[in-house]
């Protein structure tokens, strides 16, 4: 079964996205399941994981409601307030829904690079680990050292690094200091067996006109570090369309990976990590 491990859906009228303004051009319109399902069908993709795009509890409720009418939505990664003492109870409420699998704070938009390590957030990280829920890490290269510290603190926390850690493909030269630091950070994170990585967003991190050759060094690093059973392909649709087409990214990614890895990277890893089509255990201590 093929799975797209990361995409977004939104309705402009909900008005809690913040970042989504008319300045975003073609993205400033509704993106709903009816727009996305034909794209998946064209590539024989059976399930997709929908990820929060707004920092609100209402966003999580909205995404969960979409799964009720659209079975192809295999899992929801929502949002909670990590600093709220009531968040463990909120997680329990969301976990009553069979498609709720985890949360994602919008770390890349937080000015404090070490925000993840704040003491007042520890209760939420512990609650996620106890409940077997995942933490989607929306980081940039500047956050690598902090995330390494975080996963050391919470060794049972299930972590999915979003978008390859967002390397600056358009600006870096392979083998320079920035590339090497990213490679070292991702390799260190991969030493933790609870940390997974999404092969996504390389097109939007690259200059226009990218090819398979553009991404080959990055894919090699990630496949070597995480292996196919902890690497999962994702489109990041519709953000992807800022600098690429679904079809092109899907086929380039498949061409870059050995055929022997396809079953895992394009399906089995995401199915296992997000427990798609499974009952999610609620192992509350």
């Amino acid at each position: 079964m093929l799975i797209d491990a990361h995409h977004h859906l939104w309705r402009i009228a909900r008005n809690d996205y913040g970042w989504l303004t008319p300045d975003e051009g073609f993205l400033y319109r509704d993106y709903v399941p009816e727009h996305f399902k034909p794209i998946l069908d064209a590539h024989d993709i059976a399930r997709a994981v929908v990820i929060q795009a707004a920092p609100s509890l209402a966003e999580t409720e909205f995404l969960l409601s979409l799964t009720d009418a659209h079975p192809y939505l295999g899992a929801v990664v929502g949002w909670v307030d990590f600093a709220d003492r009531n968040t463990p109870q909120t997680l329990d409420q969301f976990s009553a829904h069979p498609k709720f699998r985890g949360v994602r704070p919008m770390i890349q938009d937080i000015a404090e690079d070490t925000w993840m390590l704040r003491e007042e957030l520890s209760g939420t990280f512990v609650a996620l680990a106890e409940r077997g829920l995942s933490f989607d890490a929306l980081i940039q290269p500047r956050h690598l050292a902090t995330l390494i510290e975080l996963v050391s603190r919470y060794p049972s926390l299930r972590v999915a690094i979003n978008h390859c850690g967002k390397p600056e493909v358009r600006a870096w030269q392979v083998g320079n200091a920035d590339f090497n630091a990213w490679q070292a950070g991702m390799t260190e994170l991969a030493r933790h067996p609870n940390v997974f990585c999404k092969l996504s967003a390389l097109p939007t991190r690259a200059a226009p006109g990218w090819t398979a050759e553009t991404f080959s060094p990055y894919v090699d690093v990630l496949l070597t570090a995480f292996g196919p059973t902890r690497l999962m392909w994702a489109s990041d649709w519709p953000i992807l369309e800022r600098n690429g087409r679904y079809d092109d990214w899907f086929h380039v990614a498949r061409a870059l990976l050995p055929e022997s890895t396809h079953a895992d990277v394009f399906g089995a890893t995401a199915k296992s990590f997000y427990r798609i089509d499974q009952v999610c255990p609620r192992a509350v201590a």
Side-chain angles (χ1 to χ4, degrees):
M1 179 169 65
L2 298 180
I3 298 173
D4 184 334
H6 190 115
H7 79 290
H8 304 285
L9 301 169
W10 54 71
R11 287 198 180 109
I12 295 294
R14 292 192 52 255
N15 199 35
D16 61 353
Y17 301 100
W19 66 275
L20 190 53
T21 68
D23 291 340
E24 293 294 335
F26 72 90
L27 291 176
Y28 190 69
R29 67 171 181 83
D30 290 350
Y31 285 89
V32 293
E34 291 80 3
H35 300 140
F36 191 45
K37 185 62 161 58
I39 298 174
L40 296 179
D41 290 345
H43 296 84
D44 295 321
I45 297 174
R47 297 287 185 273
V49 181
V50 61
I51 311 291
Q52 65 80 228
S56 70
L57 298 179
E59 167 78 341
T60 308
E61 294 167 353
F62 165 66
L63 296 179
L64 289 171
S65 73
L66 292 178
T67 71
D68 296 332
H70 301 280
Y72 85 86
L73 293 171
V76 168
V77 175
W79 181 93
V80 294
D81 183 348
F82 272 62
D84 189 334
R85 292 182 180 180
N86 295 319
T87 289
Q89 290 72 38
T90 301
L91 292 172
D92 289 337
Q93 293 167 8
F94 285 144
S95 294
H97 194 287
K99 297 291 184 71
F100 180 72
R101 290 296 181 267
V103 295
R104 183 180 84 152
M106 301 178 83
I107 292 170
Q108 67 176 11
D109 297 330
I110 297 172
E112 182 183 355
D113 289 350
T114 57
W115 172 86
M116 286 177 277
L117 303 180
R118 284 190 170 193
E119 180 61 31
E120 64 267 29
L121 310 184
S122 62
T124 295
F125 283 113
V126 169
L128 289 170
E130 289 178 343
R131 288 156 177 78
L133 296 169
S134 63
F135 169 62
D136 264 55
L138 179 60
I139 64 164
Q140 295 182 346
R142 69 180 192 272
H143 300 108
L144 285 169
T146 301
L147 186 58
I148 290 167
E149 172 62 24
L150 184 83
V151 300
S152 298
R153 288 186 183 184
Y154 306 103
S156 61
L157 180 67
R158 303 171 70 250
V159 178
I161 302 171
N162 286 192
H163 308 326
C164 310
K166 286 203 163 184
E168 295 284 355
V169 179
R170 69 178 66 85
W172 292 354
Q173 294 293 319
V174 173
N176 70 8
D178 290 324
F179 179 92
N180 290 343
W182 169 81
Q183 179 177 14
M186 296 299 285
T187 301
E188 179 62 29
L189 284 165
R191 293 193 176 100
H192 298 264
N194 55 312
V195 179
F196 290 61
C197 183
K198 295 185 183 182
L199 179 58
S200 57
L202 291 180
T204 52
R205 307 302 290 173
W210 51 265
T211 65
E213 185 178 359
T214 307
F215 304 139
S216 179
Y218 297 89
V219 173
D220 287 348
V221 166
L222 296 173
L223 186 59
T224 299
F226 290 93
T229 60
R230 287 193 289 138
L231 191 64
M232 47 186 140
W233 178 84
S235 66
D236 195 28
W237 185 91
I239 306 296
L240 167 66
E241 295 188 358
R242 282 173 167 166
N243 192 35
R245 295 173 57 250
Y246 198 103
D247 186 70
D248 292 336
W249 170 229
F250 178 75
H251 288 293
V252 161
R254 289 180 75 82
L256 284 169
L257 290 159
E259 188 173 350
S260 61
T261 71
H262 286 188
D264 288 318
V265 177
F266 291 88
T269 301
K271 187 176 189 293
S272 174
F273 184 83
Y274 287 114
R275 296 164 179 156
I276 291 172
D277 295 340
Q278 302 174 37
V279 176
C280 186
R282 297 175 64 188
V284 181

